[in-house]
Amino acid sequence: MLTDAGIPYGPITLDNVSQDEAWLNTVEYLYAHELVEQFLNVFIEVNDGVEDLVKLREEIERASIDKMFPLLKSILRERADCVLFLGPEFLNWRVQREIYSFNRYFNLKLMQKLKDLDIDYEEIHKDDLSYMIHRFETKRKFVAGDTEQLAHTIYKSPGMIRDYYRHLPGFKLPLIINTNPDTVLSDEYPDQCELATYDITNIAPTPFPGLNEQKTLVYNIFGSFQNPPSILFTEKKAVEFTRNVYDPETSIPFQIKDLVRSSYCIFIGFNFNDWHFKILFDVLDLQKQPQNFAFYDINTQVKEQQIEYYERHYHMSFIKNDVEAMLEEILAI
């Protein structure tokens, strides 16, 4: 079959090894040289179209960047067919030569605050933002809103990286679901983007403006800096969010759900490790999408078990590459 597929088998160790080892050596060679699809075509033909192998080939084809871009471009030609999700790794700060997501940068600032206030924290949990906020809120003379005010101050500090944002208005999408609290798109592109927020505090709820054919609706689903107490930073807030979105009285607007259910969905800036994303995706019925695509940067580490989970439950195709280069390529329609 290797010969029929035009693949040289000389470099593969097949002699004097068990059958299992021979297959393992073959598969490793095929993956290393990007020859899996070429081999599968012959293998499927010889084995009379085995269903599992056909599915495997389809998954490989969906994951192929060369084949993905034409598909994504065709989707984006039809404005109503696509919804973009922006994850926590999309909002970034450059501090000297280092780049941090906002949540990570906020966490580092909290760490310094705790040291200044002489508040202990467990080193093993220092990267857990929810835990660090809990420790910060044990300070003397803590006032409700101090955490959010600190976050807002950091958000207003210099260093935000806006490189990715400049590409987004070019997509002319009906809806962007933003899991970050920023208002960059509506602030910098007011003629092209309009902001709405899911506000679990109900202190300053944003009326749902509806969908506008002339503008992209940016929906801040985990709160907004326009009302800092609405922002979902902690597990306590995540639990409150979960309770609200399953309640018909406080659910996510049906217009959002209807559009998401009927659209291709593209995800940028997610590492998919936070449990409340699974709740959100369940509420939005992502398993019923035509197709979901996740871009993640070459420097981002996504756990294999998370990739498998989202592939299985949400038909997610993962594309690992330079995110800005991919945005530019997709926009070149």
Side-chain angles (χ1 to χ4, degrees):
M1 284 186 287
L2 288 168
T3 301
D4 290 343
I7 299 171
Y9 57 84
I12 307 173
T13 303
L14 301 174
D15 297 330
N16 301 317
V17 296
S18 68
Q19 187 176 34
D20 287 345
E21 286 178 292
W23 270 110
L24 179 61
N25 293 339
T26 301
V27 171
E28 288 179 345
Y29 178 83
L30 294 174
Y31 270 105
H33 294 81
E34 299 183 353
L35 295 169
V36 176
E37 188 178 353
Q38 184 175 329
F39 178 75
L40 271 177
N41 289 334
V42 173
F43 197 89
I44 291 169
E45 183 178 346
V46 171
N47 289 278
D48 196 26
V50 177
E51 184 177 353
D52 287 342
L53 293 176
V54 173
K55 288 181 179 178
L56 175 60
R57 181 174 62 185
E58 289 173 352
E59 290 177 4
I60 292 171
E61 288 176 346
R62 287 200 301 269
S64 168
I65 292 175
D66 290 340
K67 295 183 179 180
M68 195 71 72
F69 283 141
L71 174 59
L72 291 174
K73 287 181 179 182
S74 68
I75 292 169
L76 290 167
R77 285 192 183 100
E78 298 297 330
R79 181 178 184 272
D81 284 346
C82 189
V83 172
L84 176 63
F85 285 71
L86 301 181
E89 308 298 320
F90 198 86
L91 179 61
N92 290 285
W93 257 251
R94 181 176 284 109
V95 183
Q96 296 178 349
R97 295 184 179 181
E98 298 294 327
I99 295 177
Y100 301 98
S101 69
F102 177 78
N103 284 353
R104 176 63 179 148
Y105 189 39
F106 183 24
N107 200 60
L108 290 174
K109 292 291 187 180
L110 280 171
M111 196 180 303
Q112 186 59 55
K113 283 283 186 183
L114 294 180
K115 290 177 181 178
D116 294 343
L117 294 167
D118 199 25
I119 297 175
D120 293 332
Y121 59 87
E122 295 184 32
E123 190 72 14
I124 193 172
H125 297 306
K126 68 178 183 179
D127 295 325
D128 185 335
L129 180 58
S130 180
Y131 168 78
M132 297 298 279
I133 288 175
H134 169 72
R135 296 303 299 146
F136 173 71
E137 293 180 352
T138 64
K139 70 171 185 168
R140 294 179 62 187
K141 299 182 180 178
F142 172 76
V143 176
D146 281 358
T147 301
E148 291 81 7
Q149 184 56 50
L150 175 60
H152 195 227
T153 300
I154 295 168
Y155 173 66
K156 291 295 185 180
S157 67
M160 183 193 297
I161 300 174
R162 289 174 161 79
D163 296 356
Y164 293 169
Y165 288 95
R166 64 186 174 85
H167 296 289
L168 300 186
F171 286 119
K172 302 187 184 302
L173 300 169
L175 175 65
I176 293 175
I177 293 184
N178 187 18
T179 65
N180 295 299
D182 69 275
T183 59
V184 175
L185 286 168
S186 57
D187 289 343
E188 298 194 3
Y189 306 98
D191 294 336
Q192 296 158 286
C193 298
E194 183 175 12
L195 180 70
T197 303
Y198 184 82
D199 190 340
I200 61 175
T201 70
N202 254 347
I203 294 173
T206 304
F208 186 73
L211 298 171
N212 186 330
E213 290 187 3
Q214 305 304 316
K215 287 188 176 183
T216 294
L217 178 65
V218 182
Y219 193 69
N220 279 22
I221 206 156
F222 291 153
S224 166
F225 279 119
Q226 285 190 332
N227 177 30
S230 71
I231 301 170
L232 193 158
F233 279 137
T234 65
E235 289 190 357
K236 181 180 178 181
K237 282 282 189 71
V239 171
E240 184 180 351
F241 173 85
T242 301
R243 184 170 59 246
N244 285 359
V245 294
Y246 281 113
D247 185 335
E249 296 297 320
T250 54
S251 181
I252 294 167
F254 73 90
Q255 298 98 322
I256 297 288
K257 291 183 177 180
D258 287 349
L259 184 57
V260 169
R261 287 192 194 105
S262 62
S263 302
Y264 291 88
C265 292
I266 296 176
F267 297 79
I268 304 177
F270 288 81
N271 63 23
F272 297 100
N273 294 320
D274 294 330
W275 61 267
H276 55 276
F277 286 130
K278 294 177 182 177
I279 300 294
L280 173 62
F281 296 166
D282 180 65
V283 168
L284 294 176
D285 282 343
L286 283 193
Q287 68 272 22
K288 296 181 180 178
Q289 311 316 108
Q291 183 70 54
N292 295 308
F293 305 91
F295 293 172
Y296 66 111
D297 196 80
I298 51 178
N299 297 315
T300 300
Q301 298 300 318
V302 182
K303 295 179 180 178
E304 188 63 32
Q305 61 265 36
Q306 295 292 357
I307 290 178
E308 291 175 357
Y309 177 88
Y310 285 97
E311 285 177 338
R312 185 169 66 253
H313 289 280
Y314 301 115
H315 312 296
M316 194 83 73
S317 294
F318 284 83
I319 311 167
K320 186 173 185 177
N321 209 308
D322 179 84
V323 171
E324 186 166 14
M326 287 191 291
L327 291 174
E328 290 178 346
E329 174 67 21
I330 292 171
L331 279 172
I333 298 176

